[in-house]
Amino acid sequence: MNVLQCKIGKPGNQSTKAFIVQSESDFNGLGLMKISNELKNNLNNKIKLFNYFIDGERVWVYYFQRSEKSSVNENYEQLRKAGSSLFKELNKVKEESVQVIFGDFTTEDRIAFVEGLYLSTYQFLRYFKDEKERMNSLKTLYFEKGQFEKKDLEQLTSIWNAVFVARDLVNEPLSYLTALQLSEEIKKWGDKSGFKVEVWDKKKIQKEGMGGLLAVNKGSILPPTFNILEWKPKKPANDRPIVLVGKGIVFDTGGLSLKPTPNSMDLMKSDMAGAAAVIGTLTAIAECNSNVHVIGLIPATDNRPGEDAYVPGDVVKMHNGMTVEVLNTDAEGRMILADALSYASKFNPELVIDLATLTGAAVAAIGPEGIVMMANANRGKVAKLIESGESVYERLVEFPMWEEYGNYIKSDIADLKNIGGPTAGAITAGKFLEHFISYDWMHLDIAGPSFLKTGDSYRGKMGSGVGVRLLTHFLLNYSNKEHN
């Protein structure tokens, strides 16, 4: 992972300056009067980003026009995109070091701009022969004293690097990232960042009666794993842990209910994006030394149509003793999540949040622009997570959990069936999971924004790392007294 360095202080003589302005008064304050007429001409022509040579030195200027009609969070998002635009231009001309100088912006404005720039630097290059030639030229950002506190900048870069951890995991193919290797990656990041890791093998999973995970794994030649991650500070702010559950299907063929390849199976290395988000979040909160006790649960396997694969019509006994009639082996994510959600009750959690690339129905409903959420949790907790989603612009859309939807997954021969009908697919998946919980719970279907086929500003292309910034913001601002 090629990490951009962020430093406070004056750079060497070779660093280019990038001025971020939002008014003509900034021109004088930042010493840009020599080019003020050219700046005004560009602004009249609605040009936002331009560069000049002043006394032989290249100077970049980004003019940010705040929208009076937009909300505060919408303006922050535009600042992130502005930062992304600047990075792309800097990289085009092979800048290696840039001093970013802000005009009259708030601290929150500056954070949003730098966040967009920083997250845009992500690259996944390990499989290219010419990896070194493809690397970004930009290596260092400098900021003037007073624009950021050093400790705040270190915390922010820890969070952004945790997004890169998640992106790397999502982008890895099954040829590398098996369930076994995913567990090794979790242990690596646990050792580096400071959270504890326990990994169960197949024998332990069988002993615990995780029938859903074992059923999905039956068609694979490789064993499953079950991973328990824990960050527990010396004096936690919460009396009982918050549990994060991530779907860890490292590749999904659909099993015997085989997926088509184009725009479906060919993207299914990303079916463990929920697990990646949990790993990234634990990495972030550990490195930020969060005061919240958090446990992560990640059931992991691939889903293949091997010779002993589970089949439509099978009945599976789950961890909590319920039976499930399997009518579609491609509805496998809910099978492994159900076991993990059932197991989560052993921790007497204050709150459980699961993340999963669970349904195409969620993508059809809201596309990649947001995350489908369903919840039975205390409304204060739900409101705070929604607020975090707006703050980092990983927005949540709450779907209903009306009792009538439960009728869609009633089985003739078992307690439940693993799919509903042709409608309300995202909701019936959530209603299925609801049968395995006994605590405050929120379900996040991240199928839309988790893997992007075309580039999207600072979110990039391929794995987006969605969920890491959302959950980290929520946890770093969490107070059990406030939420209960």
Side-chain angles (χ1 to χ4, degrees):
M1 184 166 60
N2 188 27
V3 176
L4 183 67
Q5 298 296 311
C6 292
K7 298 182 179 182
I8 295 173
K10 291 186 177 181
N13 293 331
Q14 300 303 313
S15 288
T16 299
K17 290 184 173 67
F19 294 93
I20 317 304
V21 301
Q22 62 177 337
S23 66
E24 289 189 21
S25 63
D26 283 337
F27 300 171
N28 185 43
L30 297 176
L32 298 175
M33 293 309 292
K34 286 185 179 181
I35 55 170
S36 62
N37 289 332
E38 295 174 74
L39 282 169
K40 290 174 184 177
N41 288 336
N42 279 319
L43 298 184
N44 289 335
N45 292 325
K46 297 185 178 179
I47 299 172
K48 292 184 177 181
L49 176 61
F50 28 87
N51 68 84
Y52 306 94
F53 282 92
I54 301 178
D55 300 328
E57 182 182 47
R58 186 195 294 273
V59 171
W60 291 85
V61 179
Y62 192 103
Y63 180 78
F64 179 74
Q65 191 168 12
R66 196 178 302 274
S67 172
E68 298 299 328
K69 295 181 179 179
S70 299
S71 68
V72 171
N73 287 322
E74 286 169 337
N75 273 306
Y76 289 155
E77 180 67 359
Q78 291 308 310
L79 279 160
R80 292 186 191 100
K81 291 181 177 180
S84 179
S85 297
L86 176 61
F87 163 72
K88 289 170 185 174
E89 294 303 316
L90 293 172
N91 212 43
K92 279 181 186 178
V93 296
K94 306 297 183 185
E95 298 283 11
E96 294 184 7
S97 174
V98 175
Q99 183 181 16
V100 181
I101 302 168
F102 290 93
D104 187 20
F105 289 89
T106 66
T107 300
E108 291 75 14
D109 289 338
R110 294 193 289 269
I111 289 172
F113 187 92
V114 177
E115 181 172 53
L117 193 161
Y118 196 102
L119 291 175
S120 297
T121 67
Y122 173 79
Q123 295 178 289
F124 187 73
L125 301 174
R126 65 175 295 192
Y127 295 106
F128 286 105
K129 183 179 179 181
D130 59 344
E131 176 182 356
K132 290 184 179 179
E133 288 76 13
R134 290 172 178 263
M135 284 184 178
N136 296 327
S137 63
L138 188 62
K139 300 292 188 289
T140 312
L141 291 181
Y142 288 94
F143 304 101
E144 294 179 318
K145 289 182 180 180
Q147 294 193 329
F148 294 100
E149 294 294 331
K150 184 179 179 181
K151 64 178 182 178
D152 293 337
L153 197 57
E154 288 174 350
Q155 177 170 294
L156 289 165
T157 54
S158 291
I159 296 168
W160 301 335
N161 289 335
V163 175
F164 292 172
V165 170
R167 289 180 182 179
D168 275 351
L169 292 170
V170 173
N171 290 332
E172 285 286 1
L174 180 64
S175 53
Y176 174 79
L177 197 68
T178 62
L180 292 171
Q181 185 59 42
L182 179 63
S183 296
E184 292 301 313
E185 296 290 321
I186 294 170
K187 287 190 283 188
K188 178 184 79 174
W189 286 107
D191 288 342
K192 182 178 182 298
S193 302
F195 59 86
K196 294 180 181 178
V197 178
E198 180 182 351
V199 178
W200 293 0
D201 60 12
K202 185 175 181 179
K203 186 176 180 180
K204 174 70 170 175
I205 293 167
Q206 289 171 328
K207 184 178 178 181
E208 290 291 333
M210 293 189 166
L213 177 55
L214 291 165
V216 175
N217 179 252
K218 284 181 70 178
S220 176
I221 60 173
L222 298 171
T225 65
F226 187 80
N227 307 273
I228 304 172
L229 300 65
E230 183 174 22
W231 167 253
K232 188 173 184 180
K234 290 182 180 179
K235 294 182 179 180
N238 47 332
D239 301 321
R240 296 177 289 136
I242 294 173
V243 178
L244 308 178
V245 179
K247 174 185 170 183
I249 296 291
V250 291
F251 193 84
D252 183 20
T253 67
L256 289 175
S257 303
L258 200 66
K259 293 178 181 287
T261 298
N263 295 311
S264 183
M265 196 196 301
D266 56 344
L267 307 177
M268 284 299 105
K269 68 179 184 179
S270 66
D271 211 20
M272 39 59 68
V278 172
I279 298 164
T281 301
L282 265 292
T283 298
I285 64 167
E287 294 191 3
C288 293
N289 197 28
S290 165
N291 67 345
V292 178
H293 182 195
V294 180
I295 292 171
L297 302 178
I298 298 173
T301 181
D302 55 318
N303 180 29
R304 297 212 206 192
E307 59 186 19
D308 195 33
Y310 76 139
V311 305
D314 276 354
V315 175
V316 176
K317 186 176 181 181
M318 307 294 286
H319 178 264
N320 71 345
M322 295 192 77
T323 56
V324 174
E325 180 186 11
V326 176
L327 294 182
N328 189 322
T329 64
D330 193 24
E332 86 301 329
R334 66 200 69 182
M335 299 292 287
I336 72 169
L337 281 175
D339 280 344
L341 289 169
S342 173
Y343 184 76
S345 64
K346 292 183 178 294
F347 299 103
N348 188 26
E350 192 166 284
L351 172 67
V352 175
I353 303 173
D354 78 72
L355 300 93
T357 49
L358 206 59
T359 66
V363 185
I366 63 171
E369 310 304 331
I371 298 168
V372 167
M373 178 183 71
M374 300 171 66
N376 75 349
N378 170 288
R379 297 312 299 179
K381 294 185 175 80
V382 173
K384 285 295 181 181
L385 191 66
I386 291 173
E387 183 181 311
S388 288
E390 294 293 330
S391 294
V392 303
Y393 234 66
E394 294 184 354
R395 295 166 294 178
L396 304 173
V397 180
E398 187 170 9
F399 279 21
M401 295 189 71
W402 298 329
E403 184 179 348
E404 290 85 351
Y405 290 118
N407 296 326
Y408 293 31
I409 52 173
K410 287 183 176 179
S411 167
D412 292 330
I413 66 166
D415 296 319
L416 298 170
K417 57 183 179 180
N418 78 330
I419 57 169
T423 59
I427 296 174
T428 53
K431 291 296 287 184
F432 178 90
L433 297 176
E434 188 183 27
H435 286 82
F436 300 88
I437 64 170
S438 56
Y439 38 69
D440 269 18
W441 165 72
M442 288 185 268
H443 161 59
L444 307 182
D445 192 332
I446 60 172
S450 63
F451 194 86
L452 305 173
K453 290 184 286 184
T454 57
D456 180 19
S457 185
Y458 65 90
R459 291 180 177 84
K461 190 176 181 181
M462 303 190 299
S464 67
V466 69
V468 175
R469 291 164 57 242
L470 167 68
L471 293 178
T472 302
H473 186 281
F474 175 74
L475 292 168
L476 291 179
N477 291 281
Y478 189 86
S479 164
N480 65 327
K481 291 185 175 70
E482 180 181 335
H483 288 71
N484 287 334

